[in-house]
Amino acid sequence: MKLVEISAPDFDLPITLGSGQVFHWREAGNGFVGTIGDQPVYVEQCGEILRMSCVHAEMARHYFALDHPLAEICASFPDDPTMNAARNFCRGLRIIRQPKWECLATFICSSMKQVAHIRQISKALRERFGVAHNIENYIVHTFPPARRLANSSENELRECALGYRAKNLLATAQLVRSGEADLEAWSALSDVDLRTKLCELPGAGAKVANCVMLFAYERLRAFPIDVWIERVLRQKYFPRARKLNAQRLRAFTQEYFGEHGGYAQQYLFHHARTALRQSGASRDSSTSKASAEALA
DNA sequence: CTCCAGGGATGAT
DNA sequence: ATCATCCATGGA
């Protein structure tokens, strides 16, 4: 198939797709296959050039957020050792623009799940309820629309390894299908009102709402706090702080990380999850055992 | 085998 | 208003 080339400076495709913000892309040939909305896509990167199967290159440019002024965004991060290490490690990582329902549904399935599990659930939902397409001799599946999942049963969803999340996904799918939850119209809401609306959906609390705001609504200030980020905050920004509740943590992140806090959060998350996995993540401060294991 | 994961809803203080 | 518990599942 003929590939289209577009310029993509200051962009790292593998790190962007592998940073835990999106879960359906898989390696294929020299690049990745997946979907952008209902379009099957093959995409590969060579230096500052992106080659893709897209008929509509503009759609991919928008999806991968190649218009984000990444240098300015990174420069707006706070200047401290932890943030600087993450910023250096994640060079070229962009927060992409995901379809709203797809993003919401996926993150409802994410609670108490490792990234590998979320990828597996996303795959199962797509293969069972989505539409299959052939791209570059690979089969990819679109994410099923809310009406499709709303018409399924809780048991069918459980067969996709959703566990107790099945009931929530089904209930939210029905709210979206009925129009009671109008995800597109919510784009006009303020951050506070949007978060309130998202939190009213079954299976969505503050963390999921912030993920959806950041990854699907372009609210780059939204700062999801999961177990990894909380670990980083407590260890690096509040070493030996007693009585540090969620409210206090949230207030700190909002004022300290600033207008692109969500971006900063994603850099901290990916750095902690990939680079610091063995050596830095142990709960107690005695590092002798962890260091010995890291060297083994 | 055990541990724990991009949490949320519910009920007890 | 905060805090503890339970919820399913499977990769590491």
Side-chain angles (χ1 to χ4, degrees):
Chain A
M1 181 178 285
K2 180 178 160 189
L3 298 182
V4 174
E5 293 190 356
I6 65 174
S7 171
D10 220 355
F11 181 57
D12 189 315
L13 180 67
I15 203 173
T16 295
L17 296 183
S19 65
Q21 59 178 312
V22 64
F23 304 94
H24 72 279
W25 293 91
R26 71 173 195 271
E27 293 184 26
N30 295 320
F32 299 83
V33 290
T35 60
I36 300 179
D38 290 329
Q39 272 278 330
V41 173
Y42 168 83
V43 57
E44 64 185 27
Q45 183 170 25
C46 186
E48 297 194 345
I49 297 296
L50 222 47
R51 280 194 205 92
M52 61 188 74
S53 61
C54 284
V55 182
H56 311 293
E58 205 50 44
M59 177 185 69
R61 197 194 313 275
H62 182 262
Y63 180 78
F64 291 119
L66 298 182
D67 56 310
H68 279 174
L70 198 61
E72 290 177 30
I73 289 171
C74 289
S76 78
F77 297 165
D79 179 13
D80 67 64
T82 302
M83 192 70 245
N84 292 341
R87 174 174 31 219
N88 188 53
F89 183 80
C90 300
R91 202 162 289 276
L93 196 173
R94 287 174 185 267
I95 302 291
I96 68 174
R97 294 186 180 96
Q98 298 183 45
K100 295 175 176 59
W101 162 247
E102 174 181 324
C103 182
L104 170 63
T106 304
F107 274 98
I108 284 176
C109 299
S110 75
S111 88
M112 291 307 300
K113 279 291 184 187
Q114 295 181 111
V115 170
H117 296 154
I118 303 169
R119 297 180 59 86
Q120 183 177 331
I121 289 172
S122 166
K123 182 171 184 286
L125 288 173
R126 286 168 178 271
E127 289 182 349
R128 178 151 190 163
F129 301 106
V131 176
H133 292 278
N134 190 308
I135 185 77
E136 296 283 300
N137 288 328
Y138 292 92
I139 305 294
V140 298
H141 297 260
T142 59
F143 193 84
R147 66 177 174 279
R148 179 66 188 90
L149 294 187
N151 284 332
S152 72
S153 67
E154 179 180 334
N155 213 279
E156 285 182 286
L157 295 179
R158 279 182 178 267
E159 288 173 8
C160 295
L162 267 71
Y164 61 89
R165 305 158 194 83
K167 186 192 300 272
N168 290 330
L169 181 59
L170 181 58
T172 294
Q174 289 169 347
L175 286 173
V176 171
R177 174 187 55 172
S178 74
E180 186 172 339
D182 189 340
L183 301 186
E184 295 303 327
W186 291 357
S187 295
L189 297 176
S190 68
D191 284 3
V192 172
D193 291 342
L194 175 57
R195 186 176 293 108
T196 299
K197 282 295 188 185
L198 289 170
C199 285
E200 287 173 358
L201 298 173
K207 192 274 175 182
V208 168
N210 279 321
C211 283
V212 177
M213 289 173 68
L214 178 61
F215 300 135
Y217 284 88
E218 261 192 294
R219 308 302 171 102
L220 301 186
R221 199 183 177 89
F223 196 104
I225 299 178
D226 74 315
V227 292
W228 286 96
I229 288 296
E230 180 162 349
R231 205 173 288 154
V232 170
L233 292 175
R234 290 183 183 278
Q235 289 183 353
K236 305 295 184 181
Y237 293 93
F238 297 94
R240 98 183 96 79
R242 206 62 190 121
K243 191 176 184 297
L244 193 62
N245 56 24
Q247 164 88 333
R248 182 74 189 89
L249 271 184
R250 194 190 61 78
F252 166 75
T253 60
Q254 286 306 298
E255 72 103 308
Y256 183 74
F257 292 99
E259 64 171 330
H260 302 112
Y263 248 101
Q265 173 277 151
Q266 193 63 16
Y267 279 48
L268 292 172
F269 173 80
H270 187 248
H271 184 227
R273 223 177 60 79
T274 62
L276 306 177
R277 177 171 281 274
Q278 272 106 349
S279 57
S282 81
R283 193 155 282 106
D284 61 349
S285 56
S286 67
T287 55
S288 56
K289 184 163 184 272
S291 303
E293 287 174 354
L295 291 172

